[in-house]
Amino acid sequence: MRGKRRGLRFVLGALAVVGLLISGYLTWVHYAGVAPVCVGGSGGCETVQASSYATILGVPVAVLGLVGYSGLLLAALLRGEAGVYLGLLVALVGTLFSAYLTYLELFVIHAICEWCVASAALMVGALICSAFEAWRLARAP
Amino acid sequence: MSARRKSPSSQQSALLRSPRILLALIVAVAILVAALMVVLSQLGSAGGSSASSEDVGKLYSGIPQNGTTLGKSTAPVTIYLYEDFQCPVCAQFSRKTFPEVVDRSVRGGEVKVVSEPLTFIGSDSVPAARAALAAGEQDRYWPYAQLLFENQGEENSGYVTDEFLKSQAENTPGLDVGEWSSDLKGSSITKQLQAAQSKAQSAGVNATPTLIFSGPGGQTKLVGLYDYEQISQAIAQVE
């Protein structure tokens, strides 16, 4: 049981590190004023990054990603219940907000950024890990 | 032994120690935080940049427009702005930097800006540039161009349809849509478009946005996204 829990925390930590790399890259792209490299050569990432939805109150969405993935990494490193609860909170906020961003890409901006899609998938993965851990915690006697 | 009653505070902490209650609280807090972020994102987008026809009207009010030229013809410095209406960085420039350039340098008569619409990104760039040039026939090029940037879609996705262009025309203050529609098919637009492409070629422009500053002090060039301070330094260099 303890081994499984450690395994889940390891997966959560790995997802957080990949997420930090993606959001770190997009943060750098934002402040350097350069176009993000888009998989497949489409201009979707540039369009999304240049849209008015790329910042919230002047804070780039990529920076919010950095904060979120740092929270997930901390949750993976924390032992005990605190880590489980923190992981669930961050992953749930991240997944809900990623769903909103994906809606914007599909129906408002009409452009898809592969980096954002990858981040949304990571958040869903993190939510599955955290929810599973939380479910085990709730079932524990 | 007398039975002890739990105090209200110890009952509360017992509740919070229950994983199920805590999980329900976490879910509620997460939904609230995410909803707040969505609201802030929507507010920022509505207030920040989606220019309405009123906004574009305000930005250019009182500034002379002549075809693709914005500003007084006597302005000592000219900025040749090479842009593609499908280029996201050009849209960012139009949204973030250009209004400040207009207010602080063009309005006072220090600078005039000449737009050179390029079509190198792809098929959607051509009708977009033609439509802006047709608005230029009525000296409404700049507000139309701004609306094109504000409503930009993904490169070459086919978003530049006739309906899309007409809707921007309808939102351009002071534009006669019927006249614009007939100008759109004219050979004068084709010539202007070709002239901009050859001008870019001879000036060695191969990326957008490219700004060429020309004045009594000489010429200088900036390629990419710059803020107003950097633009104003380039203006001072050629003044």
mmCIF file with all atom_site columns, all heavy atoms in Angstrom, chain B residues 181-199:
data_model
loop_
_atom_site.group_PDB
_atom_site.id
_atom_site.type_symbol
_atom_site.label_atom_id
_atom_site.label_alt_id
_atom_site.label_comp_id
_atom_site.label_asym_id
_atom_site.label_entity_id
_atom_site.label_seq_id
_atom_site.pdbx_PDB_ins_code
_atom_site.Cartn_x
_atom_site.Cartn_y
_atom_site.Cartn_z
_atom_site.occupancy
_atom_site.B_iso_or_equiv
_atom_site.pdbx_formal_charge
_atom_site.auth_seq_id
_atom_site.auth_comp_id
_atom_site.auth_asym_id
_atom_site.auth_atom_id
_atom_site.pdbx_PDB_model_num
ATOM 1   N N   . SER B 1 181 ? -17.284 47.741 -50.858 1.00 0.00 ? 181 SER B N   1
ATOM 2   C CA  . SER B 1 181 ? -17.493 46.477 -51.534 1.00 0.00 ? 181 SER B CA  1
ATOM 3   C C   . SER B 1 181 ? -17.139 46.577 -53.022 1.00 0.00 ? 181 SER B C   1
ATOM 4   O O   . SER B 1 181 ? -16.543 45.649 -53.588 1.00 0.00 ? 181 SER B O   1
ATOM 5   C CB  . SER B 1 181 ? -18.948 46.096 -51.340 1.00 0.00 ? 181 SER B CB  1
ATOM 6   O OG  . SER B 1 181 ? -19.177 44.818 -51.737 1.00 0.00 ? 181 SER B OG  1
ATOM 7   N N   . SER B 1 182 ? -17.468 47.706 -53.643 1.00 0.00 ? 182 SER B N   1
ATOM 8   C CA  . SER B 1 182 ? -17.133 47.814 -55.079 1.00 0.00 ? 182 SER B CA  1
ATOM 9   C C   . SER B 1 182 ? -15.648 48.144 -55.266 1.00 0.00 ? 182 SER B C   1
ATOM 10  O O   . SER B 1 182 ? -15.027 47.676 -56.222 1.00 0.00 ? 182 SER B O   1
ATOM 11  C CB  . SER B 1 182 ? -18.049 48.813 -55.789 1.00 0.00 ? 182 SER B CB  1
ATOM 12  O OG  . SER B 1 182 ? -17.890 50.073 -55.215 1.00 0.00 ? 182 SER B OG  1
ATOM 13  N N   . ASP B 1 183 ? -15.051 48.913 -54.339 1.00 0.00 ? 183 ASP B N   1
ATOM 14  C CA  . ASP B 1 183 ? -13.605 49.204 -54.419 1.00 0.00 ? 183 ASP B CA  1
ATOM 15  C C   . ASP B 1 183 ? -12.768 47.927 -54.297 1.00 0.00 ? 183 ASP B C   1
ATOM 16  O O   . ASP B 1 183 ? -11.680 47.827 -54.868 1.00 0.00 ? 183 ASP B O   1
ATOM 17  C CB  . ASP B 1 183 ? -13.193 50.162 -53.297 1.00 0.00 ? 183 ASP B CB  1
ATOM 18  C CG  . ASP B 1 183 ? -13.625 51.597 -53.583 1.00 0.00 ? 183 ASP B CG  1
ATOM 19  O OD1 . ASP B 1 183 ? -13.869 51.914 -54.764 1.00 0.00 ? 183 ASP B OD1 1
ATOM 20  O OD2 . ASP B 1 183 ? -13.728 52.395 -52.626 1.00 0.00 ? 183 ASP B OD2 1
ATOM 21  N N   . LEU B 1 184 ? -13.303 46.994 -53.511 1.00 0.00 ? 184 LEU B N   1
ATOM 22  C CA  . LEU B 1 184 ? -12.603 45.746 -53.211 1.00 0.00 ? 184 LEU B CA  1
ATOM 23  C C   . LEU B 1 184 ? -12.212 44.990 -54.490 1.00 0.00 ? 184 LEU B C   1
ATOM 24  O O   . LEU B 1 184 ? -11.183 44.323 -54.549 1.00 0.00 ? 184 LEU B O   1
ATOM 25  C CB  . LEU B 1 184 ? -13.538 44.889 -52.346 1.00 0.00 ? 184 LEU B CB  1
ATOM 26  C CG  . LEU B 1 184 ? -12.980 43.754 -51.526 1.00 0.00 ? 184 LEU B CG  1
ATOM 27  C CD1 . LEU B 1 184 ? -11.815 44.195 -50.672 1.00 0.00 ? 184 LEU B CD1 1
ATOM 28  C CD2 . LEU B 1 184 ? -14.083 43.191 -50.614 1.00 0.00 ? 184 LEU B CD2 1
ATOM 29  N N   . LYS B 1 185 ? -13.048 45.120 -55.525 1.00 0.00 ? 185 LYS B N   1
ATOM 30  C CA  . LYS B 1 185 ? -12.795 44.360 -56.756 1.00 0.00 ? 185 LYS B CA  1
ATOM 31  C C   . LYS B 1 185 ? -11.914 45.137 -57.732 1.00 0.00 ? 185 LYS B C   1
ATOM 32  O O   . LYS B 1 185 ? -11.498 44.607 -58.754 1.00 0.00 ? 185 LYS B O   1
ATOM 33  C CB  . LYS B 1 185 ? -14.135 44.025 -57.434 1.00 0.00 ? 185 LYS B CB  1
ATOM 34  C CG  . LYS B 1 185 ? -15.007 43.138 -56.566 1.00 0.00 ? 185 LYS B CG  1
ATOM 35  C CD  . LYS B 1 185 ? -16.460 43.195 -57.025 1.00 0.00 ? 185 LYS B CD  1
ATOM 36  C CE  . LYS B 1 185 ? -17.402 42.746 -55.934 1.00 0.00 ? 185 LYS B CE  1
ATOM 37  N NZ  . LYS B 1 185 ? -18.653 43.491 -55.888 1.00 0.00 ? 185 LYS B NZ  1
ATOM 38  N N   . GLY B 1 186 ? -11.627 46.382 -57.410 1.00 0.00 ? 186 GLY B N   1
ATOM 39  C CA  . GLY B 1 186 ? -10.931 47.248 -58.359 1.00 0.00 ? 186 GLY B CA  1
ATOM 40  C C   . GLY B 1 186 ? -9.459  46.895 -58.570 1.00 0.00 ? 186 GLY B C   1
ATOM 41  O O   . GLY B 1 186 ? -8.808  46.294 -57.716 1.00 0.00 ? 186 GLY B O   1
ATOM 42  N N   . SER B 1 187 ? -8.954  47.317 -59.755 1.00 0.00 ? 187 SER B N   1
ATOM 43  C CA  . SER B 1 187 ? -7.554  47.010 -60.078 1.00 0.00 ? 187 SER B CA  1
ATOM 44  C C   . SER B 1 187 ? -6.599  47.907 -59.301 1.00 0.00 ? 187 SER B C   1
ATOM 45  O O   . SER B 1 187 ? -5.421  47.568 -59.132 1.00 0.00 ? 187 SER B O   1
ATOM 46  C CB  . SER B 1 187 ? -7.332  47.182 -61.582 1.00 0.00 ? 187 SER B CB  1
ATOM 47  O OG  . SER B 1 187 ? -7.619  48.522 -61.927 1.00 0.00 ? 187 SER B OG  1
ATOM 48  N N   . SER B 1 188 ? -7.110  49.030 -58.779 1.00 0.00 ? 188 SER B N   1
ATOM 49  C CA  . SER B 1 188 ? -6.249  49.936 -58.001 1.00 0.00 ? 188 SER B CA  1
ATOM 50  C C   . SER B 1 188 ? -5.736  49.222 -56.737 1.00 0.00 ? 188 SER B C   1
ATOM 51  O O   . SER B 1 188 ? -4.592  49.398 -56.324 1.00 0.00 ? 188 SER B O   1
ATOM 52  C CB  . SER B 1 188 ? -7.053  51.185 -57.646 1.00 0.00 ? 188 SER B CB  1
ATOM 53  O OG  . SER B 1 188 ? -6.740  51.647 -56.380 1.00 0.00 ? 188 SER B OG  1
ATOM 54  N N   . ILE B 1 189 ? -6.598  48.403 -56.144 1.00 0.00 ? 189 ILE B N   1
ATOM 55  C CA  . ILE B 1 189 ? -6.220  47.657 -54.930 1.00 0.00 ? 189 ILE B CA  1
ATOM 56  C C   . ILE B 1 189 ? -5.107  46.664 -55.263 1.00 0.00 ? 189 ILE B C   1
ATOM 57  O O   . ILE B 1 189 ? -4.125  46.528 -54.530 1.00 0.00 ? 189 ILE B O   1
ATOM 58  C CB  . ILE B 1 189 ? -7.457  46.904 -54.352 1.00 0.00 ? 189 ILE B CB  1
ATOM 59  C CG1 . ILE B 1 189 ? -8.605  47.875 -54.077 1.00 0.00 ? 189 ILE B CG1 1
ATOM 60  C CG2 . ILE B 1 189 ? -7.106  46.101 -53.115 1.00 0.00 ? 189 ILE B CG2 1
ATOM 61  C CD1 . ILE B 1 189 ? -8.324  48.944 -53.052 1.00 0.00 ? 189 ILE B CD1 1
ATOM 62  N N   . THR B 1 190 ? -5.269  45.963 -56.397 1.00 0.00 ? 190 THR B N   1
ATOM 63  C CA  . THR B 1 190 ? -4.259  44.985 -56.812 1.00 0.00 ? 190 THR B CA  1
ATOM 64  C C   . THR B 1 190 ? -2.911  45.685 -56.986 1.00 0.00 ? 190 THR B C   1
ATOM 65  O O   . THR B 1 190 ? -1.874  45.180 -56.539 1.00 0.00 ? 190 THR B O   1
ATOM 66  C CB  . THR B 1 190 ? -4.693  44.323 -58.143 1.00 0.00 ? 190 THR B CB  1
ATOM 67  O OG1 . THR B 1 190 ? -6.059  43.932 -58.006 1.00 0.00 ? 190 THR B OG1 1
ATOM 68  C CG2 . THR B 1 190 ? -3.839  43.142 -58.497 1.00 0.00 ? 190 THR B CG2 1
ATOM 69  N N   . LYS B 1 191 ? -2.929  46.866 -57.621 1.00 0.00 ? 191 LYS B N   1
ATOM 70  C CA  . LYS B 1 191 ? -1.680  47.602 -57.854 1.00 0.00 ? 191 LYS B CA  1
ATOM 71  C C   . LYS B 1 191 ? -1.031  48.020 -56.538 1.00 0.00 ? 191 LYS B C   1
ATOM 72  O O   . LYS B 1 191 ? 0.173   47.888 -56.366 1.00 0.00 ? 191 LYS B O   1
ATOM 73  C CB  . LYS B 1 191 ? -1.966  48.851 -58.715 1.00 0.00 ? 191 LYS B CB  1
ATOM 74  C CG  . LYS B 1 191 ? -2.062  48.537 -60.196 1.00 0.00 ? 191 LYS B CG  1
ATOM 75  C CD  . LYS B 1 191 ? -2.309  49.805 -60.984 1.00 0.00 ? 191 LYS B CD  1
ATOM 76  C CE  . LYS B 1 191 ? -2.844  49.439 -62.366 1.00 0.00 ? 191 LYS B CE  1
ATOM 77  N NZ  . LYS B 1 191 ? -3.643  50.506 -62.953 1.00 0.00 ? 191 LYS B NZ  1
ATOM 78  N N   . GLN B 1 192 ? -1.862  48.509 -55.606 1.00 0.00 ? 192 GLN B N   1
ATOM 79  C CA  . GLN B 1 192 ? -1.311  48.946 -54.307 1.00 0.00 ? 192 GLN B CA  1
ATOM 80  C C   . GLN B 1 192 ? -0.685  47.769 -53.562 1.00 0.00 ? 192 GLN B C   1
ATOM 81  O O   . GLN B 1 192 ? 0.359   47.906 -52.930 1.00 0.00 ? 192 GLN B O   1
ATOM 82  C CB  . GLN B 1 192 ? -2.424  49.538 -53.445 1.00 0.00 ? 192 GLN B CB  1
ATOM 83  C CG  . GLN B 1 192 ? -2.915  50.893 -53.896 1.00 0.00 ? 192 GLN B CG  1
ATOM 84  C CD  . GLN B 1 192 ? -4.008  51.394 -52.950 1.00 0.00 ? 192 GLN B CD  1
ATOM 85  O OE1 . GLN B 1 192 ? -3.803  51.500 -51.744 1.00 0.00 ? 192 GLN B OE1 1
ATOM 86  N NE2 . GLN B 1 192 ? -5.179  51.689 -53.484 1.00 0.00 ? 192 GLN B NE2 1
ATOM 87  N N   . LEU B 1 193 ? -1.354  46.628 -53.672 1.00 0.00 ? 193 LEU B N   1
ATOM 88  C CA  . LEU B 1 193 ? -0.870  45.426 -52.983 1.00 0.00 ? 193 LEU B CA  1
ATOM 89  C C   . LEU B 1 193 ? 0.469   44.972 -53.570 1.00 0.00 ? 193 LEU B C   1
ATOM 90  O O   . LEU B 1 193 ? 1.412   44.653 -52.836 1.00 0.00 ? 193 LEU B O   1
ATOM 91  C CB  . LEU B 1 193 ? -1.924  44.315 -53.115 1.00 0.00 ? 193 LEU B CB  1
ATOM 92  C CG  . LEU B 1 193 ? -1.864  43.195 -52.095 1.00 0.00 ? 193 LEU B CG  1
ATOM 93  C CD1 . LEU B 1 193 ? -1.904  43.746 -50.676 1.00 0.00 ? 193 LEU B CD1 1
ATOM 94  C CD2 . LEU B 1 193 ? -3.025  42.229 -52.294 1.00 0.00 ? 193 LEU B CD2 1
ATOM 95  N N   . GLN B 1 194 ? 0.539   44.999 -54.899 1.00 0.00 ? 194 GLN B N   1
ATOM 96  C CA  . GLN B 1 194 ? 1.778   44.597 -55.568 1.00 0.00 ? 194 GLN B CA  1
ATOM 97  C C   . GLN B 1 194 ? 2.901   45.577 -55.216 1.00 0.00 ? 194 GLN B C   1
ATOM 98  O O   . GLN B 1 194 ? 4.047   45.171 -54.981 1.00 0.00 ? 194 GLN B O   1
ATOM 99  C CB  . GLN B 1 194 ? 1.577   44.561 -57.084 1.00 0.00 ? 194 GLN B CB  1
ATOM 100 C CG  . GLN B 1 194 ? 0.854   43.288 -57.524 1.00 0.00 ? 194 GLN B CG  1
ATOM 101 C CD  . GLN B 1 194 ? 0.339   43.369 -58.949 1.00 0.00 ? 194 GLN B CD  1
ATOM 102 O OE1 . GLN B 1 194 ? 0.370   44.431 -59.584 1.00 0.00 ? 194 GLN B OE1 1
ATOM 103 N NE2 . GLN B 1 194 ? -0.164  42.247 -59.448 1.00 0.00 ? 194 GLN B NE2 1
ATOM 104 N N   . ALA B 1 195 ? 2.541   46.870 -55.141 1.00 0.00 ? 195 ALA B N   1
ATOM 105 C CA  . ALA B 1 195 ? 3.550   47.886 -54.822 1.00 0.00 ? 195 ALA B CA  1
ATOM 106 C C   . ALA B 1 195 ? 4.140   47.646 -53.430 1.00 0.00 ? 195 ALA B C   1
ATOM 107 O O   . ALA B 1 195 ? 5.359   47.763 -53.237 1.00 0.00 ? 195 ALA B O   1
ATOM 108 C CB  . ALA B 1 195 ? 2.920   49.277 -54.887 1.00 0.00 ? 195 ALA B CB  1
ATOM 109 N N   . ALA B 1 196 ? 3.278   47.273 -52.485 1.00 0.00 ? 196 ALA B N   1
ATOM 110 C CA  . ALA B 1 196 ? 3.766   47.024 -51.120 1.00 0.00 ? 196 ALA B CA  1
ATOM 111 C C   . ALA B 1 196 ? 4.720   45.828 -51.093 1.00 0.00 ? 196 ALA B C   1
ATOM 112 O O   . ALA B 1 196 ? 5.761   45.870 -50.418 1.00 0.00 ? 196 ALA B O   1
ATOM 113 C CB  . ALA B 1 196 ? 2.584   46.776 -50.185 1.00 0.00 ? 196 ALA B CB  1
ATOM 114 N N   . GLN B 1 197 ? 4.388   44.763 -51.888 1.00 0.00 ? 197 GLN B N   1
ATOM 115 C CA  . GLN B 1 197 ? 5.256   43.576 -51.898 1.00 0.00 ? 197 GLN B CA  1
ATOM 116 C C   . GLN B 1 197 ? 6.629   43.928 -52.486 1.00 0.00 ? 197 GLN B C   1
ATOM 117 O O   . GLN B 1 197 ? 7.670   43.526 -51.967 1.00 0.00 ? 197 GLN B O   1
ATOM 118 C CB  . GLN B 1 197 ? 4.655   42.394 -52.693 1.00 0.00 ? 197 GLN B CB  1
ATOM 119 C CG  . GLN B 1 197 ? 3.188   42.093 -52.457 1.00 0.00 ? 197 GLN B CG  1
ATOM 120 C CD  . GLN B 1 197 ? 2.790   41.999 -51.000 1.00 0.00 ? 197 GLN B CD  1
ATOM 121 O OE1 . GLN B 1 197 ? 3.329   41.209 -50.240 1.00 0.00 ? 197 GLN B OE1 1
ATOM 122 N NE2 . GLN B 1 197 ? 1.840   42.830 -50.599 1.00 0.00 ? 197 GLN B NE2 1
ATOM 123 N N   . SER B 1 198 ? 6.625   44.726 -53.600 1.00 0.00 ? 198 SER B N   1
ATOM 124 C CA  . SER B 1 198 ? 7.924   45.044 -54.212 1.00 0.00 ? 198 SER B CA  1
ATOM 125 C C   . SER B 1 198 ? 8.722   45.999 -53.328 1.00 0.00 ? 198 SER B C   1
ATOM 126 O O   . SER B 1 198 ? 9.947   45.894 -53.256 1.00 0.00 ? 198 SER B O   1
ATOM 127 C CB  . SER B 1 198 ? 7.798   45.622 -55.626 1.00 0.00 ? 198 SER B CB  1
ATOM 128 O OG  . SER B 1 198 ? 6.497   45.816 -56.011 1.00 0.00 ? 198 SER B OG  1
ATOM 129 N N   . LYS B 1 199 ? 8.025   46.900 -52.627 1.00 0.00 ? 199 LYS B N   1
ATOM 130 C CA  . LYS B 1 199 ? 8.714   47.817 -51.721 1.00 0.00 ? 199 LYS B CA  1
ATOM 131 C C   . LYS B 1 199 ? 9.414   47.010 -50.609 1.00 0.00 ? 199 LYS B C   1
ATOM 132 O O   . LYS B 1 199 ? 10.549  47.294 -50.232 1.00 0.00 ? 199 LYS B O   1
ATOM 133 C CB  . LYS B 1 199 ? 7.685   48.762 -51.100 1.00 0.00 ? 199 LYS B CB  1
ATOM 134 C CG  . LYS B 1 199 ? 8.180   50.170 -50.956 1.00 0.00 ? 199 LYS B CG  1
ATOM 135 C CD  . LYS B 1 199 ? 7.029   51.061 -50.565 1.00 0.00 ? 199 LYS B CD  1
ATOM 136 C CE  . LYS B 1 199 ? 7.553   52.258 -49.813 1.00 0.00 ? 199 LYS B CE  1
ATOM 137 N NZ  . LYS B 1 199 ? 6.498   53.123 -49.323 1.00 0.00 ? 199 LYS B NZ  1
#
